[in-house]
Amino acid sequence: MKRTHKRTQTVAKPTGTLAIVLGDQLNRDAEILRRLDRERDVVLMMEVRAESLAPRSHRQRTALFLSAMRHFAKELRARGFCVRYVELDDEANTQTLAGEIDRAIEELSPRALAWTEPGDIRVRIDLNACAERANLKPTVLPDGHFLTSIETFADWAKGRRRLRMEDFYRWQRRRLEVLVEENGQPRGEQWNFDANNRRPFGKRGPEGLPPKRRRQPDAITQSVLALVERELPELPGQSENFDWPVTRRQALLALRQFIRNRLSSFGRYQDAMWSGEPTLFHSLLSTSLNLKLLGPSECVDAAVDALDAGEAPIESVEGFVRQIIGWREFVRGIYWLEGPGYRDRNALGADRPLPHAYWTGQSDMNCLATAVGEVLDRGYGHHIQRLMVTGNFALLAGVEPRAVNDWYLGMFVDGVDWVTAPNVVGMALHADARPGSTEGVLGSKPYAASGRYIDRMSNYCRSCRFDPKKRIGPEACPFNALYWDFLSRNRTPFRANPRMALAMKNLDRIPVEELDEIRRLARTIRQRLSADDLRTT
């Protein structure tokens, strides 16, 4: 069939302000939109290959961004905005953000530039360079989507020897008046119900899961899915079962469904894992929040309303609220506070390549095969799969942080740089410690665990050929050898970390001969990381 060459959807009138709206800034109430003159100003939105190729983006992640952007542009036009929209297969597309901004400036000759503060340091640098080349001083607006501005977080952090999320979270609760009594004390008489929220499922597995519902892609999404398959065939993952919210209306429906069907059980089982159930009781709202289709306040308000109505217990509501106003705002603050170079930190000197299994899902380790397989299938894994399976393995095996970060950024549908870098470099890999410190910026200790943790929190080990109770031998779980070898390799810095004292005492109890065998097995496993898979036979 003959291809039709598209041209950029542009305008034929003098341009006042060229307002740049990025793919993760789809906030219909953004200040930048309120400031625009709909008769003279132009909104610029761009689909470019570079944003899907460096790093390589999952097919569903790319389709999610493009479909949500196209729906948003359609809404803006219906509201009377003038939109210059560059589609991926436009014949004049330069395929980079900077190239498309430069082209728009050349063709429209705007008198001013404006944008909302981007969530990616690299993009901020590119935008500023475009403005400098055009000799235009841009208007840069803060991202009002967030509850804590970059400046407010910096003020909170100033003078603190350690930055801890729990301290920030309690400060947020009081500042925002969320789940606090009139006297400033926490509702439910405690700030944190985390101890209640670490339950595994019983032998029968999760019960009371809501029925799975498939959101059928509309015409715009279907055309985007076809576009991605045609124009970006080299992208990883598959797109056949795409069902992520791409509009404000769909995002609100997803929020209502979570509150009604899963919030009540979310808290107690938020750290549990189960084969064949990738979503369990998790909210699946991170994509809508990160694209700005949903606001954090409306998510928190909906959860607190459910508590007030007796529809969800305090431990579930508090756990969800903590993720929204605590963790999400905290990692963004860390990202901007630490600045350029944060994502390249490597405090533990990890230098191994990313295992090929992270692209194929092929491994004799059932937990890793399951977690990676679900990412390939849907571009999604919940936070414990990310932290304690794929992240934990990369930490213990000594995989180079930049490679791991790029994988998470590209392979998860909710991946954006301000989220991914702190969660991967800081939380999962404990790579963000400043020189001379034994503690990380984001976390005081590494989140490292042996196979016993995975066995306790999932059913993955039941179908695995490895034994999570064994440390050496052909049946020993690779997580075990890697865990004890990791502690042994980093013995010096970890001994100076008070939160690692118990782990180091346990390491000292292992007989010398057994520890030598553990080290040999761990070396063998690490040497296989550049092989085609992580099979050990």
Side-chain angles (χ1 to χ4, degrees), residues 480-491:
N480 293 341
L482 290 172
Y483 173 74
W484 295 109
D485 178 71
F486 170 74
L487 296 182
S488 178
R489 285 188 288 116
N490 294 283
R491 189 186 298 262

Side-chain angles (χ1 to χ4, degrees), residues 340-366:
Y342 179 83
R343 68 198 313 271
D344 295 316
R345 290 187 187 174
N346 190 359
L348 298 179
D351 59 2
R352 293 287 175 176
L354 185 74
H356 196 60
Y358 279 61
W359 300 108
T360 66
Q362 296 175 359
S363 173
D364 283 352
M365 301 166 65
N366 187 46

Side-chain angles (χ1 to χ4, degrees), residues 127-359:
L127 293 178
N128 287 332
C130 289
E132 186 175 350
R133 282 194 295 273
N135 197 27
L136 292 171
K137 182 175 176 59
T139 297
V140 182
L141 300 170
D143 193 337
H145 163 88
F146 294 96
L147 302 173
T148 314
S149 70
I150 295 170
E151 295 76 18
T152 299
F153 184 87
D155 287 342
W156 172 83
K158 191 178 300 180
R160 293 176 183 266
R161 190 167 67 89
R162 293 186 180 94
L163 303 181
R164 292 294 168 254
M165 200 284 286
E166 185 66 24
D167 297 335
F168 173 76
Y169 171 57
R170 296 185 184 190
W171 177 76
Q172 284 278 79
R173 287 265 297 271
R174 288 192 172 108
R175 183 175 74 91
L176 301 173
E177 298 182 342
V178 175
L179 293 179
V180 291
E181 305 291 357
E182 291 184 1
N183 61 1
Q185 293 304 302
R187 190 165 170 180
E189 300 182 349
Q190 60 190 78
W191 289 104
N192 189 319
F193 288 84
D194 206 28
N196 302 66
N197 292 344
R198 294 173 176 168
R199 300 183 195 176
F201 297 117
K203 292 183 178 180
R204 293 166 55 182
E207 298 179 350
L209 287 173
K212 294 181 173 63
R213 294 183 179 180
R214 179 79 189 276
R215 181 185 296 103
Q216 294 300 323
D218 63 11
I220 292 177
T221 301
Q222 289 178 24
S223 68
V224 165
L225 291 169
L227 173 74
V228 170
E229 293 294 325
R230 182 178 73 244
E231 299 292 331
L232 295 164
E234 67 271 46
L235 295 186
Q238 64 84 24
S239 57
E240 283 77 9
N241 58 1
F242 181 97
D243 66 349
W244 299 101
V246 294
T247 67
R248 164 77 174 164
R249 182 177 180 181
Q250 290 176 357
L252 287 170
L253 177 60
L255 172 60
R256 289 195 296 270
Q257 289 175 338
F258 166 65
I259 297 297
R260 182 172 64 245
N261 298 328
R262 300 194 297 280
L263 175 61
S264 61
S265 296
F266 164 74
R268 73 186 75 133
Y269 297 124
Q270 64 178 289
D271 285 5
M273 300 172 282
W274 199 262
S275 296
E277 295 291 348
T279 60
L280 295 169
F281 297 103
H282 293 269
S283 74
L284 307 183
L285 298 176
S286 55
T287 58
S288 298
L289 279 162
N290 291 353
L291 293 177
K292 318 296 168 51
L293 298 174
L294 285 179
S297 290
E298 61 190 336
C299 294
V300 169
D301 290 345
V304 174
D305 287 345
L307 174 65
D308 293 339
E311 297 169 354
I314 182 68
E315 57 265 28
S316 285
V317 173
E318 186 277 320
F320 179 67
V321 166
R322 178 158 24 102
Q323 289 190 353
I324 302 293
I325 73 170
W327 189 250
R328 187 169 184 267
E329 303 272 328
F330 183 71
V331 298
R332 177 176 180 259
I334 292 290
Y335 177 84
W336 288 108
L337 188 70
E338 295 299 301
Y342 179 83
R343 68 198 313 271
D344 295 316
R345 290 187 187 174
N346 190 359
L348 298 179
D351 59 2
R352 293 287 175 176
L354 185 74
H356 196 60
Y358 279 61
W359 300 108

Side-chain angles (χ1 to χ4, degrees), residues 22-76:
L22 302 171
D24 62 345
Q25 296 179 339
L26 310 183
N27 181 356
R28 67 191 317 272
D29 298 319
E31 182 180 354
I32 193 169
L33 298 178
R34 296 197 301 269
R35 289 191 177 201
L36 293 184
D37 183 330
R38 303 186 194 194
E39 295 298 321
R40 299 187 310 113
D41 300 336
V42 175
V43 174
L44 172 63
M45 299 182 69
M46 305 153 283
E47 303 173 0
V48 296
R49 291 177 186 271
E51 295 303 304
S52 290
L53 297 178
R56 285 200 301 163
S57 176
H58 194 291
R59 281 174 163 85
Q60 292 197 36
R61 178 177 181 263
T62 296
L64 170 64
F65 272 80
L66 301 192
S67 179
M69 288 168 62
R70 291 187 180 192
H71 282 91
F72 191 70
K74 181 181 178 181
E75 178 189 345
L76 290 182

